[in-house]
Amino acid sequence: MNYCSNCGKSLSFSTPPGDDRPRYLCDSCGTIHYQNPLMVVGCIPEVDGKILLCRRSIEPCAGKWTLPAGYLENGETVSAGALRETYEEACARVEIIAPYAIYNISHVSQIYLMFRARLLDNDFKPGSESKEVRLFSEEEIPWGEIAFTVITKTLRDYFRDRAQGKFSFHIGDVLPNV
Amino acid sequence: MNYCSNCGKSLSFSTPPGDDRPRYLCDSCGTIHYQNPLMVVGCIPEVDGKILLCRRSIEPCAGKWTLPAGYLENGETVSAGALRETYEEACARVEIIAPYAIYNISHVSQIYLMFRARLLDNDFKPGSESKEVRLFSEEEIPWGEIAFTVITKTLRDYFRDRAQGKFSFHIGDVLPNV
């Protein structure tokens, strides 16, 4: 961030009066440019005990498998965003059952909200960001080829809950790979 | 949004190739300036059956009562943000019990996440954005002087659950006042 999106002048980076951390500030028009975490919303689509995964056709992690999820858009509810991403990535129609988990990925300032969902029919196919979409039983999950740590965590929590016959709402942290 | 924060040139507003909605675009350096919802995180601090509310000293809704809550910051977990806001607004130390509710306020692109919390001591006092902080029993809640519709909804959901002896995780929508 170099220039003020309001007036186009150069920005400085310092702590505004009364604030406790540095922000991008415009000394010309006075605008403070706050930067805040992004929400990612997605689904765990299940039917007949199997989970729908998408193989990514784009970077990052092209070729790896993921649950349908993406950035929440302005004006959207979290449920609507999760349904939209599921349709965009897998052309899949689902019904949301319940919110399942929030995962903090603080080192990249992302908050994931994942929903349990029921796949409504088998008319799914790859969307523009996927090269393949298919159903996996728990035994078939390609654990070594999952795109993101948060997706591995989501699936592990989900299968653990499912085995115990009870889904509880989770909140957890995803740390950087070291 | 008028100017590119990367290169300082004027922005256009149109739908990028492969996208489905208009964005602020820089035709000079190619940056797409996405705009996404903000997360607000906060607590419902309870002790001895009473709830801690803050009377706002700043606009909007100066003089009205609210639960401690505010924008999640980059690099922060949702729980850490809720604890920070509770300390900033009420100088109150709490222990988080569980996530309680997500409320979509889509018309202003805000997502609220509220936590149930236990007030740890009585050393609370107004922070810089509050002019008064006090505990209210359910009967004492100043329903006509609550700052935001989402806070009224949070409190009503909370007291309803509490009366039934069971707190479930909520997801709901807050619509514009008409």
Side-chain angles (χ1 to χ4, degrees):
Chain A
M1 192 171 280
N2 304 304
Y3 298 95
C4 177
S5 56
N6 181 48
C7 76
K9 298 295 192 301
S10 292
L11 295 174
S12 60
F13 188 69
S14 61
T15 303
D19 205 338
D20 65 346
R21 65 195 73 200
R23 314 279 184 185
Y24 288 100
L25 300 176
C26 181
D27 299 323
S28 178
C29 75
T31 302
I32 304 173
H33 298 276
Y34 295 96
Q35 294 183 301
N36 299 85
L38 289 171
M39 278 198 85
V40 177
V41 291
C43 286
I44 312 162
E46 179 174 336
V47 68
D48 298 334
K50 296 186 172 188
I51 305 295
L52 191 77
L53 297 182
C54 308
R55 197 147 76 94
R56 290 173 60 82
S57 65
I58 57 170
E59 295 296 345
C61 299
K64 300 287 184 76
W65 293 89
T66 189
L67 290 164
Y71 291 120
L72 185 65
E73 295 277 6
N74 271 357
E76 208 170 40
T77 66
V78 288
S79 312
L83 293 175
R84 176 183 52 72
E85 288 290 341
T86 304
Y87 193 79
E88 282 180 11
E89 298 191 359
C91 301
R93 298 187 314 117
V94 299
E95 176 181 63
I96 283 179
I97 300 168
Y100 179 60
I102 288 175
Y103 298 111
N104 301 292
I105 316 184
S106 303
H107 60 285
V108 292
S109 295
Q110 291 182 353
I111 308 296
Y112 269 66
L113 173 63
M114 301 299 293
F115 289 88
R116 288 194 293 130
R118 188 177 297 112
L119 186 63
L120 292 175
D121 57 51
N122 285 319
D123 295 338
F124 53 81
K125 63 182 184 187
S128 63
E129 299 181 3
S130 306
K131 62 170 78 172
E132 188 179 355
V133 178
R134 56 161 281 206
L135 291 165
F136 291 86
S137 68
E138 182 175 355
E139 295 69 32
E140 293 168 331
I141 296 281
W143 292 108
E145 299 171 68
I146 300 295
F148 307 109
T149 306
V150 65
I151 301 301
T152 301
K153 186 170 176 63
T154 303
L155 291 168
R156 290 208 186 281
D157 285 345
Y158 187 86
F159 289 128
R160 190 184 313 114
D161 280 5
R162 197 175 70 169
Q164 294 174 352
K166 185 174 189 304
F167 290 101
S168 56
F169 186 78
H170 291 250
I171 188 160
D173 300 320
V174 174
L175 303 176
N177 291 315
V178 289
Chain B
M1 192 171 280
N2 304 304
Y3 299 94
C4 177
S5 57
N6 181 49
C7 77
K9 299 295 192 300
S10 292
L11 294 174
S12 61
F13 188 68
S14 61
T15 303
D19 207 336
D20 65 346
R21 67 196 73 201
R23 314 280 184 185
Y24 289 100
L25 300 176
C26 180
D27 299 323
S28 178
C29 75
T31 303
I32 303 173
H33 297 277
Y34 295 96
Q35 295 183 299
N36 299 85
L38 290 172
M39 279 198 86
V40 177
V41 291
C43 285
I44 312 162
E46 180 174 336
V47 67
D48 297 334
K50 296 186 172 188
I51 306 296
L52 191 77
L53 297 181
C54 308
R55 196 147 76 93
R56 290 173 60 81
S57 65
I58 57 169
E59 295 296 344
C61 299
K64 301 286 184 76
W65 293 90
T66 189
L67 290 164
Y71 291 120
L72 185 65
E73 295 278 3
N74 270 358
E76 208 171 40
T77 67
V78 289
S79 312
L83 293 175
R84 176 184 51 73
E85 287 290 342
T86 303
Y87 192 79
E88 282 180 12
E89 299 191 358
C91 301
R93 297 187 315 117
V94 298
E95 176 181 64
I96 283 179
I97 300 169
Y100 178 61
I102 288 175
Y103 298 111
N104 300 292
I105 317 184
S106 302
H107 61 286
V108 292
S109 294
Q110 291 182 353
I111 308 296
Y112 269 67
L113 173 62
M114 301 299 294
F115 289 88
R116 289 194 292 130
R118 188 178 297 110
L119 186 63
L120 293 175
D121 58 50
N122 284 321
D123 295 337
F124 54 81
K125 63 182 183 186
S128 63
E129 299 181 3
S130 306
K131 62 171 79 174
E132 189 179 355
V133 179
R134 57 162 280 206
L135 291 165
F136 291 87
S137 68
E138 183 175 355
E139 295 68 33
E140 293 169 330
I141 296 282
W143 292 109
E145 298 171 69
I146 300 295
F148 307 109
T149 306
V150 65
I151 301 300
T152 301
K153 185 169 177 62
T154 303
L155 291 168
R156 291 208 185 281
D157 285 344
Y158 187 86
F159 289 128
R160 189 184 316 115
D161 280 5
R162 197 175 69 171
Q164 294 174 352
K166 185 174 188 305
F167 290 101
S168 56
F169 186 76
H170 291 251
I171 188 160
D173 300 319
V174 174
L175 303 177
N177 291 315
V178 288

